[in-house]
Amino acid sequence: MNEPQQKWTETIEADHSLFDLRLKEVWRYKDLIYMFVKRDFISSFKQTILGPVWFFINPIFTTIVYLVVFGKIAKLPTDGAPPILFYLLGVTLWNYFSGSLTATSNTFVGNANIFGKVYFPRLVTPISIVISNLMRLGVQILLFVLVWAYYLAKGEIHPNIWVLATPLLIILMVIFALGVGMIFSSLTTKYKDLGMLLGFGISLYMYATPVIYPVSALVGPFKKLAYYNPLTGIFECFKYGWLGSGDFSPLMLGISTAIILVLFAIGLVIFNKVEKTFMDTV
């Protein structure tokens, strides 16, 4: 008598195509993403006195420092925008990108203990990181909007229709941080030195990004090179839309979008390849 053939509900295998990203499987683990996001949010302020108030303290004090150092001492231009708003917006956006990139780049090394014991799509971890940082970005943008509303009421800024591009700009930042973070997280499983260099590299990258200065302040080849910085189009569009000032063009944003999508695709492929064998090298 033939026994009925068993049907497996889940198949776990390492041998799959580099381009088989299994995004449907990631979607099935959306509850796990939610749990990771909740864990990251709670652990950030566990045993702290001020809790989520730190979301406001960081950009406020950083903005004050930039205002004094770069505004009063270095006297860098802000394209006619109120310096407080100019620096606050730059700090808010940069905090999200740098924080997401740093945390995402540590995906394999920092979670090797969990990955070695429990199976779930590894892509869940970097996705949860950029989402949890989005919550912080949302709170800090709220602070920016409150200050922005004050200057708007005074008539010192003149926003335009590019404000409506804000969701797209945030998505591009998410994709960029996720893509580059996956590249570094994959490479650091074999080359640990990259993790040490990343923090230094991010600090230098800030000065190559229009966080503390507008693109209009650059001249010659430096201005041309700035167009190929993926964050330039995003930051300048934010400033142009919300503050009504800046040297922005749709071409700048188009170049940023193209570069970001390419880096994201490369990051996905490399991440997909490394996740099969990373336990042998971590």
Side-chain angles (χ1 to χ4, degrees), residues 164-215:
L164 301 178
T166 298
L168 171 63
L169 300 177
I170 292 176
I171 291 173
L172 287 175
M173 255 200 322
V174 170
I175 294 175
F176 185 37
L178 185 59
V180 177
M182 288 191 296
I183 292 174
F184 273 96
S185 67
S186 302
L187 295 177
T188 50
T189 60
K190 189 174 182 180
Y191 307 104
K192 301 290 192 300
D193 293 346
L194 287 177
M196 302 176 186
L197 291 173
L198 182 62
F200 178 67
I202 290 177
S203 298
L204 289 180
Y205 186 40
M206 190 195 80
Y207 294 101
T209 303
V211 176
I212 58 175
Y213 59 83
V215 171

Side-chain angles (χ1 to χ4, degrees), residues 240-257:
Y240 183 70
W242 285 88
L243 308 181
S245 62
D247 187 14
F248 170 74
S249 69
L251 174 62
M252 186 185 296
L253 185 58
I255 293 174
S256 296
T257 302

Side-chain angles (χ1 to χ4, degrees), residues 99-115:
S100 296
L101 176 55
T102 302
T104 305
S105 66
N106 196 41
T107 296
F108 285 121
V109 176
N111 296 279
N113 188 40
I114 300 176
F115 289 169

Side-chain angles (χ1 to χ4, degrees), residues 1-6:
M1 187 174 179
N2 295 330
E3 296 182 358
Q5 186 177 4
Q6 292 182 338

Side-chain angles (χ1 to χ4, degrees), residues 7 22 28 47 61 82 87 96 116 118 124 134 138 147 151 171 191 193 216 227 229 235 238 250 275:
K7 294 183 179 181
R22 297 177 295 171
R28 290 206 304 269
Q47 296 180 331
F61 277 89
Y87 293 124
Y96 172 77
V118 182
V124 162
L134 271 179
V147 180
Y151 281 97
I171 291 173
Y191 307 104
D193 293 346
S216 60
Y227 273 66
N229 176 352
F235 277 58
F238 259 111
E275 72 169 341

Side-chain angles (χ1 to χ4, degrees), residues 8 16 28 56 86 91 108-109 114 127 137 150 152 168 257 263 276 279:
W8 302 105
H16 57 270
R28 290 206 304 269
F56 294 103
F86 183 89
V91 166
F108 285 121
V109 176
I114 300 176
I127 289 176
L137 176 64
Y150 168 76
L152 180 65
L168 171 63
T257 302
L263 290 174
K276 304 177 188 177
M279 287 304 296

